[in-house]
Amino acid sequence: EFLDADASALRDRLDQTTRPAYYKLNAAICELLEDWSMVQFLPLDPRDTDSIDQILSQMDHATQYHDDIEPRTNEDDGEMDLEE
C-alpha cells in the first residue's frame, strides 16, 4: 500500500487523523509531493543486506554524499597521527 502510495490516498489518510484546520496544509504538501516526485518509498528488511545497501545507496545519491569526498590514502592516515 505505501510503496506505491499516491498523494490523494495520503491526503485522505492525513485528513482522517488531523483537525480540519490542517486540511489545506495536507492538500498543499500532497500536491507538492506529487508535482515534484520528492518522495520514494523503499522496502526495508533489516535482516537483508541487499535491502539495506539499496537504501543506503539511495540516501547517498539523494544527498550527493560521495561527490565531494577525496579518496583517502595511507599518507593521509600518517598525517593525522602526527597532528594528534
Side-chain angles (χ1 to χ4, degrees), residues 6-43:
D6 70 290
S8 62
L10 178 61
R11 180 180 176 193
D12 291 341
R13 180 166 265 182
L14 287 171
D15 286 348
Q16 291 174 2
T17 58
T18 57
R19 295 183 296 196
Y22 293 105
Y23 288 176
K24 280 185 167 181
L25 178 62
N26 293 343
I29 290 172
C30 290
E31 183 178 336
L32 179 70
L33 294 175
E34 188 170 280
D35 290 348
W36 292 93
S37 300
M38 296 173 67
V39 175
Q40 179 184 12
F41 296 97
L42 299 170

Side-chain angles (χ1 to χ4, degrees), residues 24-65:
K24 280 185 167 181
L25 178 62
N26 293 343
I29 290 172
C30 290
E31 183 178 336
L32 179 70
L33 294 175
E34 188 170 280
D35 290 348
W36 292 93
S37 300
M38 296 173 67
V39 175
Q40 179 184 12
F41 296 97
L42 299 170
L44 171 63
D45 180 1
R47 297 173 300 255
D48 181 16
T49 58
D50 290 336
S51 171
I52 295 170
D53 288 341
Q54 180 185 14
I55 291 175
L56 289 174
S57 174
Q58 290 288 328
M59 291 170 41
D60 287 347
H61 178 71
T63 60
Q64 298 177 350
Y65 178 73

